[in-house]
Amino acid sequence: MWKKSLCLLIPCVLIAYYCYAPIPHEIEQHWELMMIWSFMRIQMHIAPLFEMLGFRPFPLLEILVVPPTSDENVTVTDTLFNNVPVRVFVPKQKSSTLRRAVFYIHGGGWVTGSAAWDPYDELGRWMVERLDAVVVSTDYRLSPQYHFPTQFEDVYDALRWFLRKKVLAEYGVDPSRICIAGDSAGGNLVAAVNQKLLNDPEIKIKVKIQSLIYPVLQALDMDLPSHRENIHMVIVEKEHLVEFWSRYFTSDKALLEAMVANQHTPVESSHLFKFVNWSTLLPERFKKGHVYTTPIHGPSELAKKYPGFLDVRASPLLANDSILRRLPLTHILTCQYDVVRDDGLMYLSRLRAAGVRVVHEHVEDGFHGILSFGSSLINFRAGKREVNKYLKWLKENL
């Protein structure tokens, strides 16, 4: 009898482990979110097995890929911009004037994601229909096969190609109405490429708006208040965030272990902590009585082997004020129940202090990835609401 009970108990425990999540009561549709979260957790746990077998770490997510299908409103094509794959959405209706444009960078922790995923494909179509915009949704090579700075360079190469006058004219784009936008790791790349554009003598086009949607912006301090509060939050737990960061730079477990302990930054780089010091950069309401602890310094050898985490192209929060003050109108979206919430809030503080015009939307009942949850495939009410607000703001300001 006890063997039968044990056989029943084990699967019940496993189901409870994968399905349960400490979802705050402010977030609606608990059960739907828990089911999606359980699928994602399974993906995370079986990813190492697929890697050992020589496959991409998240093959089950390939079910999200949709072909480039045109309809009565939009022409959709997959093409290459400077050898980088992009999906381009162009309105079918003829226009007597040049159109606005959005260059979009998908998220996925630099390890997964695609412009061909259904939520990103649908977002591109919505931007065409509601903004009458040309939309370029770019891909980039992913870790663990490729590490930093490959992802940054791919996106930057595609963007530079798009910003050429000849290409903008081909797509009927108004050079004065261009937005670079992205979510999560894509938000990181948005911030990084915009900073790089400022000192590129070959780029004459000035971007009008940069839009960072729940961006991850620094790899120095892995002990922010949002890390503590949302350590086991749905969609991205702290352990996943640290692993994504580590994989961005290397497959060497030594860096992962040091980042988990928050002991990876060498003493000779301690001056950089002033750029990510949450005790001075976060608004009071987000500190919530947390006590700031200066991270313990790590071995210099680690930073010498993998200097990427100290590179401003990977951690845009490390940029000097002389760079920040030259940035365009910036839109930042943060979510209360998001492990990377404080990265966006600190960038907000630094940009405003540098004199940059910043529009901030904080979603009190939001979690990481909420805009993608507004797609028809997932159909979360809060996600739909935030997508509508976001597109309305873009239409009014771009």
Side-chain angles (χ1 to χ4, degrees):
M1 182 66 181
W2 68 270
K3 291 183 178 180
K4 291 183 179 180
S5 300
L6 184 61
C7 290
L8 180 61
L9 177 62
I10 291 175
C12 287
V13 169
L14 289 173
I15 291 172
Y17 170 76
Y18 281 108
C19 290
Y20 173 75
I23 301 175
H25 69 273
E26 290 89 350
I27 299 177
E28 297 181 344
Q29 296 176 264
H30 276 58
W31 284 106
E32 295 96 323
L33 186 56
M34 278 197 282
M35 291 302 101
I36 294 171
W37 175 227
S38 64
F39 173 75
M40 295 180 69
R41 293 184 81 180
I42 292 170
Q43 285 279 294
M44 293 295 296
H45 282 88
I46 65 176
L49 174 62
F50 281 105
E51 286 188 65
M52 289 174 55
L53 296 174
F55 296 104
R56 294 282 313 149
F58 302 102
L60 298 183
L61 293 179
E62 294 302 310
I63 63 173
L64 295 174
V65 173
V66 295
T69 305
S70 302
D71 58 31
E72 66 275 10
N73 298 315
V74 57
T75 299
V76 184
T77 55
D78 284 349
T79 186
L80 298 175
F81 279 9
N82 204 17
N83 294 318
V84 178
V86 298
R87 178 163 290 190
V88 183
F89 305 80
V90 179
K92 276 193 173 179
Q93 186 176 358
K94 299 294 182 181
S95 176
S96 59
T97 60
L98 295 176
R99 288 185 162 99
R100 51 169 75 90
V102 178
F103 185 94
Y104 197 87
I105 311 170
H106 71 75
W110 307 283
V111 71
T112 189
S114 170
W117 276 13
D118 185 274
Y120 292 120
D121 180 85
E122 188 169 40
L123 180 60
R125 295 172 188 275
W126 285 342
M127 286 179 172
V128 168
E129 294 173 9
R130 303 191 197 183
L131 309 181
D132 190 31
V134 173
V135 179
V136 176
S137 188
T138 187
D139 275 320
Y140 46 89
R141 285 171 289 179
L142 302 169
S143 66
Q145 285 82 358
Y146 301 94
H147 298 296
F148 173 84
T150 298
Q151 292 83 347
F152 170 85
E153 291 173 345
D154 282 355
V155 170
Y156 195 69
D157 286 346
L159 178 60
R160 291 180 85 249
W161 182 271
F162 179 59
L163 292 180
R164 297 188 307 164
K165 290 183 179 180
K166 179 181 178 181
V167 176
L168 295 179
E170 177 185 342
Y171 286 103
V173 171
D174 183 343
S176 67
R177 302 177 73 191
I178 297 173
C179 169
I180 306 177
D183 64 294
S184 192
N188 168 283
L189 292 165
V190 168
V193 297
N194 270 285
Q195 291 179 8
K196 175 75 171 178
L197 281 176
L198 296 175
N199 294 317
D200 191 330
E202 297 183 14
I203 302 298
K204 307 301 181 183
I205 304 298
K206 300 295 183 183
V207 173
K208 184 175 183 180
I209 297 173
Q210 64 168 346
S211 176
L212 287 64
I213 302 167
Y214 26 85
V216 51
L217 297 169
Q218 60 86 30
L220 266 70
D221 191 351
M222 295 291 108
D223 190 33
L224 308 182
S226 61
H227 295 156
R228 301 171 187 175
E229 294 171 15
N230 300 298
I231 188 170
H232 296 303
M233 190 53 62
V234 290
I235 311 306
V236 179
E237 295 181 306
K238 181 184 174 180
E239 67 170 303
H240 300 149
L241 169 67
V242 176
E243 186 171 358
F244 288 150
W245 265 124
S246 176
R247 282 169 170 258
Y248 191 25
F249 306 118
T250 177
S251 297
D252 187 346
K253 295 294 184 182
L255 179 59
L256 174 61
E257 293 169 1
M259 294 184 81
V260 168
N262 206 28
Q263 298 178 14
H264 54 291
T265 304
V267 64
E268 56 267 29
S269 299
S270 58
H271 64 284
L272 296 175
F273 283 120
K274 65 183 178 183
F275 296 127
V276 297
N277 186 332
W278 62 261
S279 69
T280 60
L281 293 173
L282 284 184
E284 284 299 324
R285 62 164 290 204
F286 295 102
K287 297 177 186 179
K288 295 180 179 176
H290 291 283
V291 177
Y292 179 76
T293 303
T294 303
I296 299 173
H297 298 300
S300 300
E301 292 73 21
L302 203 58
K304 290 176 181 177
K305 287 178 68 176
Y306 312 115
F309 67 86
L310 301 174
D311 194 312
V312 69
R313 295 173 298 170
S315 296
L317 255 171
L318 301 183
N320 289 314
D321 289 347
S322 59
I323 295 292
L324 298 185
R325 68 171 60 102
R326 297 162 57 199
L327 289 168
L329 167 62
T330 300
H331 167 271
I332 298 177
L333 186 148
T334 55
C335 295
Q336 181 65 22
Y337 302 107
D338 184 0
V339 70
V340 302
R341 177 195 70 205
D342 294 347
D343 282 19
L345 293 172
M346 290 193 294
Y347 203 45
L348 169 70
S349 295
R350 291 205 57 211
L351 289 174
R352 283 181 172 165
V356 178
R357 182 184 167 205
V358 187
V359 175
H360 177 221
E361 180 185 356
H362 185 69
V363 186
E364 294 291 349
D365 61 346
F367 51 89
H368 198 82
I370 192 170
L371 257 64
S372 292
F373 277 68
S375 69
S376 299
L377 179 68
I378 306 176
N379 203 28
F380 260 64
R381 289 187 294 272
K384 288 280 190 187
R385 178 196 70 213
E386 293 307 318
V387 168
N388 289 333
K389 288 168 62 177
Y390 178 60
L391 294 179
K392 182 176 183 291
W393 184 87
L394 275 182
K395 185 175 183 178
E396 292 172 349
N397 291 276
L398 181 57

